[in-house]
């Protein structure tokens, strides 16, 4: 009789495991989407964008909630979109977790040090941004966050991805995250590990035909107590 109410509580906490009111750390970093019929590329307009950064399911569970990833994003220089408005349709991804193809959870843009209006500048002049997808379905419930990071052109260039923009977007995001970062009274310690073999290298099927190097970076984020 406890399972159903507990599942409802878990959903309320961004699908982190919950015992009573305590979020519990997951047992795995992530599950390979391909093993469940999914992909390490989302579905974009002209092909797929690489899910080139993963925030491990073994990160502190508070980080993996919607509010948690929003605060962590601010700590590393990203905020929600300009004044809360999203231009264009959300992208979808299948993480092989049994949920099928689902819309991105949220999108963040580089905020240039201003977490209120900085993303408006990014929308105008271009910069880094990332989309978030959560792996929380019944077949692969890691709680991990899969990020599609890329660096884009300014609005005058229709926000197209810059040359090599997927690799650059990943590398700049990781560089901004690794180490000790703080925001909103929370301090994060972040370590990174590059993984090969999850994603093919090359440009076949990639949005805008921009090649990727096949590297996915795993971030493990812990909160300093």
């Amino acid at each position: 009789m406890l399972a159903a109410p507990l599942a409802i509580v878990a959903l309320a906490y961004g699908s982190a495991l919950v015992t009573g009111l305590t979020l519990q750390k997951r047992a795995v970093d992530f599950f390979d989407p391909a093993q469940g019929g999914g992909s390490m590329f989302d579905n974009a307009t002209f092909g797929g964008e690489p899910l080139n950064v993963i925030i491990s399911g073994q990160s502190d569970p508070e980080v993996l909630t919607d509010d948690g990833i929003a605060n962590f994003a601010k700590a590393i220089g990203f905020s929600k979109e300009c004044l809360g408005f999203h231009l264009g349709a959300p992208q979808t991804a299948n993480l092989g977790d049994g949920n099928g193809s689902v819309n991105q959870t949220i999108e963040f843009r580089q905020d240039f040090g201003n977490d209120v209006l900085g993303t408006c500048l990014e929308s105008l002049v271009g910069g880094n941004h990332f989309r978030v997808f959560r792996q929380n379905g019944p077949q692969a419930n890691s709680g991990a966050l899969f990020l599609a990071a890329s660096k884009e052109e300014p609005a005058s260039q229709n926000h197209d991805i810059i040359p090599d923009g997927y690799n650059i977007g990943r590398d700049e995001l990781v560089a901004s995250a690794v180490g000790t970062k703080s925001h909103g009274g929370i301090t994060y310690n972040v370590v990174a590990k590059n993984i090969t073999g999850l994603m093919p290298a090359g440009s076949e099927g990639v949005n805008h035909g921009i090649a990727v190097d096949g590297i996915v970076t795993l971030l493990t984020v812990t909160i300093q107590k």
Side-chain angles (χ1 to χ4, degrees):
M1 297 296 291
L2 179 61
L6 191 58
I8 293 172
V9 174
L11 287 174
Y13 279 85
S15 298
L17 291 177
V18 177
T19 301
L21 294 178
T22 303
L23 296 172
Q24 299 296 305
K25 187 173 291 189
R26 302 295 181 123
V28 297
D29 288 323
F30 62 91
F31 294 105
D32 181 353
Q35 299 301 312
S39 173
M40 287 298 296
F41 292 88
D42 70 8
N43 304 298
T45 306
F46 303 107
E49 295 200 344
L51 302 173
N52 48 16
V53 178
I54 301 173
I55 298 182
S56 169
Q58 296 198 73
S59 299
D60 268 312
E62 293 90 343
V63 176
L64 303 176
T65 66
D66 289 354
D67 288 343
I69 186 59
N71 194 76
F72 175 68
K74 289 182 179 180
I76 65 172
F78 294 81
S79 298
K80 293 181 181 179
E81 295 186 275
C82 179
L83 302 177
F85 293 110
H86 175 70
L87 298 177
Q91 293 181 8
T92 64
N94 182 345
L95 299 182
D97 59 2
N99 282 337
S101 187
V102 297
N103 285 346
Q104 63 195 47
T105 299
I106 195 168
E107 184 170 346
F108 296 98
R109 296 184 181 277
Q110 189 174 358
D111 64 21
F112 300 100
N114 185 324
D115 60 14
V116 177
L117 296 175
T119 56
C120 299
L121 179 61
E122 193 278 341
S123 294
L124 180 64
V125 304
N128 212 354
H129 72 308
F130 65 93
R131 307 169 193 273
V132 179
F133 301 88
R134 180 178 287 113
Q135 189 177 57
N136 64 348
Q139 297 176 15
N141 190 3
S142 70
L145 303 180
F146 286 64
L147 314 183
S150 58
K151 191 164 186 176
E152 62 184 2
E153 302 277 10
S156 61
Q157 300 296 317
N158 301 312
H159 287 161
D160 287 344
I161 305 302
I162 68 170
D164 200 30
Y166 296 120
N167 296 332
I168 291 172
R170 175 202 61 213
D171 291 346
E172 289 190 356
L173 187 157
V174 170
S176 69
V178 170
T180 301
K181 310 292 177 179
S182 299
H183 183 81
I186 299 176
T187 298
Y188 305 95
N189 296 311
V190 185
V191 296
K193 175 184 177 182
N194 286 340
I195 300 172
T196 57
L198 278 178
M199 177 190 300
S203 61
E204 184 176 355
V206 183
N207 196 32
H208 301 295
I210 297 173
V212 299
D213 59 14
I215 295 173
V216 177
T217 301
L218 179 71
L219 299 179
T220 303
V221 184
T222 56
I223 294 174
Q224 186 171 301
K225 305 300 185 182

